[in-house]
Amino acid sequence: MSLLVVGLSHRSAPVSVLERAALHADAQTKLLHDTVAAEPATEAAVLATCNRIELYADVDKFHAGVAELSTLLAQHSGVGLEELTPYLYVHYEDRAVHHLFSVACGLDSMVVGEGQILGQIKDSLARAQDLHTAGKLLNDLFQQALRVGKRAHSETGIDRAGQSLVTFGLEQMAAGGDVQRWAAGRRALVIGAGSMSSLAAATLARAGVAEIVVANRTFDRAERLAEILQEADDNAVTARAVRMNAVPNELTRADVVVSCTGATGLVLTAEAVAQAVEGRTGQPAVAEPLEDGRTAFKDVPAKETAAPDENCPLDLAAAQPGFSVMGEAAVAGMDAATLEQHATWAAGGTTDRRPASGRTTEATEADAELITALAATAATVGRIPERRRPEPVAERPAPVVFLLDLAMPRDIDAAVHRLAGVRLVDIESLAEASADAPMAADVDQVRRIVSDEVTAFGAAMRAAHITPTVVALRTMAADVVAGEIARLHGRLPDLDERQRGEIRQAVHRVVDKLLHAPTVRIKQLAAEPGGTGYADALRTLFDLDPETVASVSRAEDSTETKDRPA
């Protein structure tokens, strides 16, 4: 027999399908009875929550099992099989174990790390036990899943990971200030309706934003999140849902933008954000230049400069804006001959016709005197050394739009970091700001726990699979020994009881020694991946009675059921 799970969840199906496929308690009971009554399955359990419907079963045929479980889910959910099939996922054997362990740890939840799922798994197991649809495999699987989930919560910070990342991101956007004071009265746009986006929206609502707009590719999921926010008792936010094509327009209204989607490409480009800022402020969001002089996402057209001053030896088009063409910065690096020409031109009273506020006659004369002094230096050293004055650093304007990118890979173009009037906080900047990287570290640790536990569970199940066969082999050997001892007693009636006991013990020791190494080794081999075939080989080699093996299995299941705590 083999473990199979067929189901749908918030990751595979839209909310509208999940809502229609929801199973009430009576429907779950009927589904369990019908599943174990079907030919491929001997055990069954249903895990049904607001965000998932999963049917677990122990089946003897994979393809027949998938077909039967899918059909049963469609029948009892009321959603047609053809409509339901595109949203179903299937996990088999170790992948099914890995899936349930991940679910138990909160890795597959809408809110990563939430602990409510453990109670739901416990209820699911209890229902299957009460209806006698859970046998050894599902009892062991679900009980171990509960242990793995508890281990993940006790050994890691997975239950705090999502909350920590969202909160820390908002704190970074607030520049370390009080988040509630920063958020009060602002308008927020949340792109995505998954676990992190939902958590960010709820956190913003509690922080006191005035409005939250939710945009998502699946519109009904955005509507559902907006309804949850609107109906919550712990905030007074106004929430509404929009489609993704409305994002550019909403971007011009939003003070705060949070994005966390599963998109493989960019959701917001630097151009889109710049246009939104310009549409909101009326001023272009000029990008700060990169080291090579280019702008971060595209070169902003330069303003036209005035015509060069007549007879001025300087190339005014190449001169740095903001400096007088008669000042030291303008002539630094000029050779002596050109400097003399410039000094003559400056002393001749030619004025700087480019806009230069506050230029006075005294300033022009001072520049001319400075150039004359520099000419004397040039006559000695041949060239004016490069001694530019430090360019004045303009203060970065206060941000008018705050963006939080919680997606990996990123949703928002990294070039947005260089836009004026914008503050972008993304995963990289959060990692730089906090060496803890709480979510990533905790999730990775939980994933390692799940992987280790799946390996251990698989080994234990495979070893348990061969145990009845080993027991049947030893039973057969004991029967052979008993038969031979009885025959020996008939042929040697003069042996006393002590002698008979010695012979009996000697024969048993020989048999035990002959069987010990092979049975230990075959259990080890059976515990390895792909080791399930060793039980069949053992039965074939020793011509073991299949009914004897089955009776041992039934006896073990009966003992475990009797000893299981209520």
Side-chain angles (χ1 to χ4, degrees):
M1 303 299 285
S2 302
L3 177 65
L4 175 67
V5 56
V6 177
L8 65 160
S9 73
H10 64 98
R11 294 186 181 276
S12 68
V15 173
S16 58
V17 175
L18 284 174
E19 289 177 340
R20 290 170 56 205
L23 297 172
H24 53 76
D26 291 341
Q28 293 179 41
T29 299
K30 188 68 166 62
L31 175 59
L32 288 174
H33 284 313
D34 288 351
T35 302
V36 294
E39 182 180 347
T42 58
E43 302 181 32
V46 175
L47 178 57
T49 72
C50 58
N51 290 316
R52 75 180 63 249
I53 304 163
E54 295 175 345
L55 178 57
Y56 293 78
D58 186 6
V59 300
D60 58 2
K61 298 175 184 177
F62 172 72
H63 293 291
V66 172
E68 187 65 32
L69 267 58
S70 301
T71 301
L72 288 170
L73 275 175
Q75 289 176 351
H76 291 276
S77 66
V79 180
L81 182 59
E82 289 187 2
E83 182 181 357
L84 190 64
T85 298
Y87 305 112
L88 294 178
Y89 47 78
V90 175
H91 298 296
Y92 189 58
E93 292 287 36
D94 285 354
R95 292 303 306 170
V97 177
H98 188 281
H99 175 73
L100 182 58
F101 286 4
S102 298
V103 170
C105 293
L107 292 178
D108 198 57
S109 298
M110 182 170 283
V111 177
V112 176
E114 57 93 7
Q116 184 181 6
I117 188 65
L118 285 175
Q120 293 164 335
I121 292 175
K122 185 177 180 180
D123 293 341
S124 175
L125 175 60
R127 182 181 301 107
Q129 289 174 342
D130 292 342
L131 298 173
H132 305 290
T133 63
K136 176 176 172 54
L137 176 60
L138 293 185
N139 271 298
D140 290 345
L141 173 68
F142 275 67
Q143 288 175 357
Q144 185 61 25
L146 292 171
R147 286 190 285 267
V148 173
K150 292 175 182 177
R151 178 188 171 192
H153 284 275
S154 64
E155 295 183 12
T156 74
I158 186 65
D159 51 349
R160 303 183 303 274
Q163 180 69 37
S164 296
L165 190 64
V166 170
T167 302
F168 186 58
L170 296 179
E171 288 175 353
Q172 292 299 303
M173 288 203 295
D178 182 73
V179 172
Q180 291 189 335
R181 183 178 303 168
W182 166 82
R186 294 185 185 270
R187 295 187 295 269
L189 169 63
V190 176
I191 305 176
S195 58
M196 295 303 293
S197 297
S198 301
L199 186 57
T203 304
L204 283 169
R206 288 192 295 268
V209 297
E211 180 188 44
I212 295 179
V213 178
V214 182
N216 193 58
R217 285 185 172 84
T218 306
F219 182 65
D220 57 351
R221 294 188 66 179
E223 281 188 314
R224 185 184 186 193
L225 178 55
E227 290 173 1
I228 292 173
L229 295 171
Q230 189 80 36
E231 296 170 0
D233 296 330
D234 57 354
N235 66 77
V237 71
T238 299
R240 57 188 175 88
V242 298
R243 302 185 186 278
M244 286 297 290
N245 58 11
V247 166
N249 182 57
E250 295 296 337
L251 205 55
T252 63
R253 301 179 62 255
D255 303 302
V256 182
V257 180
V258 179
S259 185
C260 186
T261 73
T264 55
L266 292 176
V267 175
L268 293 179
T269 64
E271 291 89 341
V273 176
Q275 291 172 6
V277 173
E278 184 173 358
R280 177 167 181 167
T281 64
Q283 299 293 326
V286 180
E288 296 177 356
L290 300 171
E291 292 181 358
D292 59 4
R294 296 178 294 106
T295 53
F297 62 97
K298 65 177 181 180
D299 290 331
V300 178
K303 296 181 179 179
E304 295 183 359
T305 57
D309 289 59
E310 184 179 0
N311 297 325
C312 178
L314 290 180
D315 180 7
L316 295 184
Q320 289 289 333
F323 289 104
S324 166
V325 296
M326 297 183 181
E328 178 183 2
V331 299
M334 189 180 295
D335 60 73
T338 305
L339 180 64
E340 289 179 358
Q341 295 176 14
H342 187 274
T344 302
W345 172 81
T350 305
T351 58
D352 184 359
R353 286 191 291 270
R354 290 188 302 164
S357 59
R359 295 290 300 167
T360 62
T361 302
E362 291 78 4
T364 301
E365 292 176 352
D367 281 342
E369 292 177 1
L370 177 60
I371 291 172
T372 301
L374 290 173
T377 303
T380 304
V381 300
R383 189 177 183 85
I384 298 299
E386 292 279 357
R387 292 193 298 116
R388 291 185 181 274
R389 296 168 183 167
E391 296 183 12
V393 179
E395 289 188 9
R396 188 180 177 99
V400 295
V401 178
F402 299 82
L403 300 104
L404 177 58
D405 186 356
L406 297 174
M408 184 63 72
R410 68 175 67 250
D411 276 351
I412 303 175
D413 192 346
V416 172
H417 278 293
R418 294 181 175 272
L419 290 178
V422 178
R423 177 175 297 160
L424 170 61
V425 176
D426 54 22
I427 295 294
E428 290 182 356
S429 56
L430 287 175
E432 292 174 2
S434 172
D436 295 334
M439 178 185 170
D442 289 323
V443 169
D444 286 345
Q445 188 177 354
V446 172
R447 285 174 176 161
R448 287 192 294 270
I449 290 175
V450 169
S451 180
D452 292 344
E453 292 284 358
V454 170
T455 300
F457 185 82
M461 288 295 100
R462 287 186 290 270
H465 179 68
I466 202 170
T467 298
T469 304
V470 172
V471 172
L473 173 61
R474 288 190 170 274
T475 300
M476 184 194 74
D479 291 341
V480 171
V481 169
E484 289 301 316
I485 291 295
R487 194 162 67 90
L488 181 63
H489 291 170
R491 294 176 59 184
L492 300 173
D494 296 335
L495 294 175
D496 59 28
E497 190 60 34
R498 185 185 64 79
Q499 292 171 328
R500 291 179 180 180
E502 288 290 340
I503 294 172
R504 186 165 49 249
Q505 289 181 5
V507 174
H508 276 293
R509 281 196 298 269
V510 170
V511 172
D512 288 342
K513 288 182 178 180
L514 286 174
L515 291 179
H516 176 72
T519 53
V520 169
R521 181 57 179 153
I522 204 168
K523 285 182 178 181
Q524 294 172 343
L525 292 172
E528 296 176 358
T532 54
Y534 285 101
D536 294 333
L538 198 62
R539 287 193 294 270
T540 302
L541 285 172
F542 289 93
D543 194 23
L544 298 176
D545 180 11
E547 181 57 33
T548 303
V549 177
S551 64
V552 173
S553 298
R554 288 194 296 270
E556 290 184 350
D557 291 347
S558 176
T559 301
E560 288 193 4
T561 302
K562 181 179 178 180
D563 295 340
R564 187 177 300 123

